[in-house]
Every structure is written in C-alpha cells, then in structure tokens.
Amino acid sequence: MNYEETLEYLYKQLPVFQQIGSAAYKPGLQNTEALDKYFGYPHRKFHTIHVAGTNGKGSVSHLLAAILQLNGYKTGLYTSPHLIDFRERIRINGKMISKEDVIQFAEKHLASTLHIQPSFFELTMMMAFNYFAENQVDVAVVEVGLGGRLDSTNIITPDLCVITNISYDHVQMLGDTLPKIAREKAGIIKSGIPVVIGEAQGEVKQVFIDRAKEIKAPIIFAEEQIHFRSAQRNDKGWEFDSPEFPHLFGKLSGLCQEKNAATVLTAVGQLRNLGYNISDQSVYDAFAHVTSLTGLMGRWQQLESSPRLICDTGHNTGGIQYIVRQLQNESYQNLRIIIGMVNDKDISGVLAMLPQNAVYYFTRASIPRALPEERLYELAIKAGLTGKCYPSVQQAVEAAKKESRPDDLIFVGGSTFIVADLLKTMLSQQ
C-alpha cells in the first residue's frame, strides 16, 4: 500500500474519535498497556513532558518542544488531531515522520495488534512512541488526547506535568461540571513529579491542590510565578515583559497566548530545576519562531490580507471567549464569520457568545461528526445571528470572499475540522 492507502486502511480498521466521536473513545488503559507490552515499552527509553488541559495545550506543547530542540535536545512531539496531514501528529525536532515510516509501521504491526482491538488514537500514539524510541530522542513532549486520567498517553512517567486550564468540553465523557473535568485532567499528576497549572481558580484550583497533596506531587501555579509588567499585542504577535524575560516577543498572536506564555515560562523554570539546560536565548528564539520550528498552525493565523482571512481552532466556550474578545479589538468595515461545529459540543453556549453584528456563513466540516449546516443555522437564528448555509467550507469561503470589501475581516472557526478543511482547500489552490 502507498501512504494514502495505508491511512485509509487505518481509518477503516480502527475506531477514530475525530470521525465518529464517543463511539471510538475507550476509557481505561488496558488496550494501551497491552500495546505497550507488545512494542517493548518504548516510552521508557526517553524522557517525557506531559501536557493536558482543555485549551492551549497544543500551543504550550509546541513552544516547549521548540525550546528543547533549540537547546540541542533531540525532541519528539506528539499532538492531535492533525489539520492537513496525519504526520503532523508525530515530529522529531519539528520534522514530521516520513510517509515510509508510517507505511512500514502499519505493514509490520497492524495485523499483529488487531486482536487487542485498539482505537486509532491508541495505535497511532504507540506509532509515535515506537518512532521516538527507534530514533533515540532525548525527550518527547506528549499532548493528552482527551481528559487525562484514562487517556492513552497516561502510561508515561514524565519529568514534568503541565495542565493548561479547565473549560467545558467532552462533557459526556469527562463530566458536566468544571470540578469533575478537573479531576479527570488531574489524573496525569504523578507522585513526586512536579505539575505546572496554567490557569485555575476556586473549586478547580482546589481539585488540583488536593490531588497533588494526596500523592505528594509538587504543584506550581503559573499565575503565581510569572507576572508580566506589560503584555502588548499587535498584528505581528505579542511582546511580554517580565523580570525573568524582558521584551519577549511571541509569534502567536491570539489573546489566549498571554496565559500560555506564563504557563510555558513557569514550565521552563521547573525544567531547569530538574537539570535541563535551557538558555534564555532559546526561549526568545522559540517564542519568535515556533511556527517554523514545529509546524504549528491554526492559532489566530492570518492567511490572506485583502480582505483579511483569519482562522483559529478554538471550538468550545473556553476558547471562543478569547476569539470573541479578539474580534472586538480588530478594525474592519464588515465582519464575516464562517462557522461550523461538531455535534457533541456545547453549540448553544458557543452561539450565545458570538457577535450579532456579523454576517454568518454556516457550514460543516467533511467528517461524520459534523453538525449539519441547516441545524446549526436553526440554532443560530434562535441566538439572534443571521446568515446563510453552505454545504462545504470551500463554498462558504468563496461566498464570503465574493461579498467582501478589501477592508472586511473574514474569520473561519468553530471547529478544528473547519480550520482543517480551510487549510486543505488553500493548499490545493496553491
């Protein structure tokens, strides 16, 4: 099989959460532990950093990986989901796993592991760990797939745990209150291993404190460690000014990046305490060049300038709140929003937050979990939003561009998969 055929075979053979949702979710570590044994416990052959959280964990993971690789560490990075190419999930020093490695893994191991009945995530995570071990990485930054306590990645014993924040997402599987969700995320905290908490208040903060105390894990809150004297944002990114890192320029321009920056800088301090050799200059360089160093995409990313076309993968109320604030701070003649969502999100909650002074283009991503655009339109009308339906992201973008003036702003989001379809469309047109 070639690369495309291999991926198609994996998608058909294994339950894929991104495609079908909770039906593919297999809580518990039994499958992963069986796979881990089959592969010879590859994650024990390199150091790891474990990153969980509702929002921001992708940005934090990529920034930490960029910092580590700039300091000479051979650095693995495992994230999900991908936007354009499956291989985005598995990188070493920013370079994606080769198509040949994906093919060889499937040919060598898929038939031998089907009796375990792994999910797509479980097997492809093991592909990453096996790849990192075979290539002798020094350290891997591992992003949690879903939750924490029962997530497949929770077989690792990391040097450092990071939990970015807690918001409502995947409530069917993680719980319908923030403290319940926090308990699931807190499941990655390990005895004696420091954990950095990016953002937490009230009951959620207490959940983390109680869990860390229970298993004797040092806990560090970024909000108590990093105090920015100023944080200035412009079209090119952020400039953060703190005593530890004065005039730190960050390429990522989303409003949420202020919280992410504090989380990353706190994690850097902890890694230094653990013996990691991290220079100040590497931190400056990583923040300024993270997208080119690690291939990060879809975080308040401007794709065109006239009219401005911006996308962001924020897809729950916690992420959308930053996007709405950011849209309020932008200047434009008309605001046009292309939006689609998947059917297991808090759709009404998101729609209630969106600006009513925008023209909407309701659409759907090219996955089975996508909410039909007509249903999204019906819910949006009830929330006071106005617009039209389009059966694909490409058609929605074409319509928005056709109706736009040069100084309009077109925002595309609501789902990671909407952004993925947008980026694939733009790539195909190049």
Side-chain angles (χ1 to χ4, degrees):
M1 293 186 291
N2 62 25
Y3 174 65
E4 288 73 21
E5 291 168 341
T6 299
L7 280 187
E8 186 66 23
Y9 186 67
L10 286 170
Y11 285 131
K12 287 182 177 179
Q13 288 291 322
L14 308 173
V16 184
F17 181 84
Q18 276 72 33
Q19 298 287 331
I20 63 175
S22 58
Y25 178 57
K26 296 186 175 183
L29 302 178
Q30 298 90 340
N31 282 2
T32 309
E33 288 167 346
L35 287 170
D36 198 30
K37 182 178 179 180
Y38 167 85
F39 283 100
Y41 310 102
H43 65 90
R44 298 179 184 176
K45 299 174 184 176
F46 48 87
H47 292 269
T48 53
I49 298 166
H50 208 184
V51 183
T54 306
N55 297 300
K57 59 182 182 290
S59 296
V60 168
S61 295
H62 280 259
L63 282 164
L64 287 174
I67 290 167
L68 290 165
Q69 69 192 55
L70 286 171
N71 283 283
Y73 293 100
K74 192 172 187 179
T75 306
L77 175 62
Y78 177 67
T79 59
S80 63
H82 60 275
L83 290 172
I84 298 174
D85 188 335
F86 164 81
R87 298 180 301 134
E88 296 166 28
R89 297 169 179 246
I90 305 171
R91 299 177 184 266
I92 295 178
N93 286 354
K95 184 179 179 181
M96 294 188 295
I97 185 174
S98 71
K99 293 181 179 180
E100 291 73 22
D101 280 308
V102 174
I103 294 168
Q104 290 173 12
F105 178 90
E107 289 178 343
K108 185 176 181 180
H109 300 296
L110 184 58
S112 302
T113 55
L114 283 179
H115 70 282
I116 298 173
Q117 296 184 310
S119 69
F120 181 86
F121 184 86
E122 288 167 337
L123 189 62
T124 54
M125 182 201 76
M126 202 54 64
M127 181 191 298
F129 289 178
N130 192 61
Y131 180 67
F132 295 157
E134 288 181 346
N135 286 274
Q136 299 180 317
V137 302
D138 300 309
V139 58
V141 179
V142 178
E143 180 190 21
V144 167
L146 193 156
R149 180 176 65 94
L150 300 177
D151 187 72
S152 304
T153 63
N154 207 25
I155 59 170
I156 65 176
T157 302
D159 293 340
L160 177 69
C161 298
V162 179
I163 302 175
T164 57
N165 56 41
I166 301 299
S167 184
Y168 289 103
D169 205 2
H170 303 298
V171 294
Q172 306 95 324
M173 291 157 280
L174 302 182
D176 56 3
T177 69
L178 293 181
K180 286 180 181 178
I181 296 170
R183 289 186 191 97
E184 291 301 312
K185 309 281 186 186
I188 72 165
I189 301 174
K190 306 289 194 305
S191 179
I193 295 172
V195 55
V196 170
I197 308 297
E199 182 181 7
Q201 295 86 33
E203 289 183 87
V204 166
K205 185 174 184 178
Q206 195 60 49
V207 167
F208 294 136
I209 291 171
D210 292 345
R211 176 60 180 166
K213 183 178 180 181
E214 177 187 350
I215 60 173
K216 297 181 173 59
I219 186 167
I220 306 96
F221 291 94
E223 294 170 313
E224 299 172 2
Q225 294 291 311
I226 300 296
H227 301 284
F228 293 123
R229 292 177 293 212
S230 65
Q232 304 289 332
R233 178 188 162 269
N234 56 42
D235 291 340
K236 296 181 180 179
W238 280 90
E239 184 174 294
F240 305 106
D241 188 37
S242 67
E244 301 84 358
F245 290 94
H247 308 297
L248 173 64
F249 172 74
K251 173 73 171 177
L252 304 178
S253 62
L255 283 178
C256 58
Q257 298 305 332
E258 183 175 355
K259 298 289 187 183
N260 292 339
T263 304
V264 170
L265 297 180
T266 303
V268 165
Q270 292 305 305
L271 290 172
R272 284 172 166 173
N273 292 342
L274 292 167
Y276 281 76
N277 182 24
I278 298 176
S279 69
D280 284 358
Q281 189 59 48
S282 71
V283 176
Y284 283 94
D285 291 344
F287 269 77
H289 304 291
V290 61
T291 53
S292 59
L293 286 167
T294 67
L296 180 62
M297 296 182 290
R299 274 64 175 184
W300 198 258
Q301 181 178 358
Q302 181 168 318
L303 299 168
E304 294 181 355
S305 57
S306 182
R308 276 191 299 158
L309 176 63
I310 293 174
C311 66
D312 193 281
T313 56
H315 56 269
N316 51 47
T317 54
I320 293 294
Q321 66 173 326
Y322 286 104
I323 290 171
V324 171
R325 283 173 49 202
Q326 198 144 351
L327 290 171
Q328 291 170 345
N329 293 335
E330 298 293 327
S331 58
Y332 47 78
Q333 175 130 8
N334 297 291
L335 174 60
R336 304 180 186 278
I337 296 180
I338 297 168
I339 186 170
M341 299 187 70
V342 294
N343 56 24
D344 56 0
K345 301 297 179 184
D346 180 10
I347 295 161
S348 296
V350 168
L351 292 174
M353 300 173 71
L354 294 176
Q356 296 193 354
N357 65 335
V359 179
Y360 284 85
Y361 303 75
F362 303 106
T363 187
R364 65 182 298 164
S366 55
I367 60 168
R369 283 172 64 208
L371 183 73
E373 66 274 17
E374 296 90 351
R375 179 57 181 154
L376 181 60
Y377 171 82
E378 292 171 1
L379 294 170
I381 293 299
K382 293 179 181 178
L385 310 180
T386 58
K388 296 179 181 178
C389 293
Y390 300 86
S392 73
V393 174
Q394 180 175 351
Q395 289 169 279
V397 172
E398 288 173 353
K401 286 184 178 182
K402 185 177 181 180
E403 296 170 4
S404 290
R405 299 180 180 184
D407 51 0
D408 285 358
L409 172 60
I410 302 172
F411 174 79
V412 183
S415 165
T416 299
F417 309 106
I418 292 291
V419 173
D421 282 359
L422 169 68
L423 294 174
K424 289 173 188 174
T425 295
M426 300 197 72
L427 184 65
S428 68
Q429 295 172 348
Q430 292 179 356

